[in-house]
Amino acid sequence: MSRVARVVVAVLCALGLSVGAGSSSAWADATAGGDLKVAQTLGDRDLTFMLRRVTGLPGPLHVDVFTHRGTAAGTLRLGTVPTGASHDRAAGSSAGTTTSGASVRLGSTPGSYSAALDIDRAGPWELVVDDGSRTARIPFVVPGQATSPPELTVFGGFVAAGVLMLVTLFVAVRARRGAWALVPAGGVVAALATAVTAALLSASLPMPPEPGGQVDATNDNVADPYAVVRPVTNDYSRPPVSLETGPYPAKAAERGTLRMSVHDGSTGLPADDLVVHDGALMHLLVIGPTGELWHLHPIRTAPGSYEVQLRLPAAGHYAVSAEFARRGGGIQQVRSATGLTVADGSARGGDPVLPAELAPRGPGERTVDGVPVRLSAPSLTAGAASTLTARVGDTPTLQPWLGMVGHMIVVGPLDKADATSPTRMGRAAQGAPVWAHAHSMGGDMSGHMSGHSAHGMGDAPAHDMAAMDHGNEPRTSTSAGSMSGLMPLNGDSPADETVAAYGPDVSFVYTFSRPGYYRVWIQAERDSAVLTMPYLLHVAPTGEAR
């Protein structure tokens, strides 16, 4: 019996070591859906919807609605609708019907307003938002919370080891020959070795394919993300799409609705696979005859159908462009082939008038919506990278908008007469070779981090701005924290619009491909209002001093 006792003791020691190794391993296999941020231009309201991650099924879906300055008070009715097909008859029968509802009362003060709805299954869903006049349908996906294969292997190995341990003890006691106990004992060692190997390798194994990104977001795949494993051999890439705009009968200064449809370039069918990109399903850019810019986010009303409400102030031509991302198709910017032509609604007619603070200017100081702004843009030469830095206000109180501290829209090159005309800018932008949408280089959260002093761009010394004015490279005291302030860590969500701790410097790096005059609009959010700062920049030819 001494040999059997030694076998049992050895197995128990191996079991203890394996449990210790398994408990100390890092479990990086489980996937967790993050918060989804979607901007919507719902009537006269510019809203941002934050759909918080669902941590358990069934469980609540918490929705936060962020409003901006000037948003009208009112009530929104929210509902959750499961979509898609499923092999489960009960789940399939409820697809397309509202399963939960709630109301959100928006106040006149900018801020966050919340509601909670019920989610009872994994899969594709729609959040239906009704303001009493129109209905928006925001698609989102609730991933399943399945156990990963390595976890199943670890658990199975320990269960098998436990069962074989009992068999080993039984054989050791009942068998006449102690050597028979080595057979199940060997199985215990094999099961433990399998469990320990799976536990140690689990941290280095790749994550499962992302539903809706790397594989189609079907119900079955979303419910079990490990149903499809890498390598993914199917090609889920998408071709370009066409953007079609409907008629716009509204006249100048009248409220009208612009309806758009997005169609697949290869089949002609409605493209209903747009995913949230930079905080919106679609970014619509409209440039009017006076050079005024609208950056809007149309609501999805049906598969492939979008609409946005406009109140265009001046008669003339408006250039239209849309930016979005398709599942598996990447980011696309599609310009309307026709744009819009708005008739004069007044009896007097006459040329449109652009407010003085919206008139394009070169680099330097100006005031927009009561906020002092200073743009530094040295060494603008075609083909060379240029750094443009806008100082918005004088305190680090900028808020993230669409996931970024700053946005820059670039259109050109243009003839100088067209670029400065109060009536021809929309027509000139319609055929401009370059339409670009750039993002700021990073956000400064150093002043918002506990245990660290503010030392980022928000506290950039005066000599930095002076260096820019003399054509030198900008010397902003950015750090790892300042550049990654908007980036989520360990699955956390990035800062939302309630955080006002960025700036006041907003920097962009952009390479103008051709010389000439460019219209540039820089956008940033401050005091819950999105500021649009228009500029007229001249880019010198290559090798020519500015």
Side-chain angles (χ1 to χ4, degrees), residues 68-69 369 401 497 523-532:
H68 299 109
R69 190 198 312 165
D369 198 15
W401 184 54
E497 295 181 40
Q523 295 186 299
E525 183 174 354
R526 187 175 187 269
D527 294 335
S528 297
V530 178
L531 304 178
T532 300

Side-chain angles (χ1 to χ4, degrees), residues 1-12:
M1 293 295 293
S2 60
R3 181 181 299 177
V4 175
R6 287 196 296 269
V7 171
V8 173
V9 170
V11 171
L12 289 176

Side-chain angles (χ1 to χ4, degrees), residues 331-388:
I331 303 170
Q332 302 180 29
Q333 186 179 59
V334 182
R335 201 183 313 181
S336 171
T338 59
L340 301 174
T341 298
V342 178
D344 194 349
S346 65
R348 297 173 51 189
D351 292 338
V353 177
L354 185 68
E357 69 173 16
L358 297 181
R361 299 181 185 177
E365 297 182 355
R366 66 180 307 166
T367 300
V368 177
D369 198 15
V371 179
V373 180
R374 178 189 177 101
L375 176 67
S376 297
S379 304
L380 297 180
T381 304
S386 301
T387 300
L388 293 80

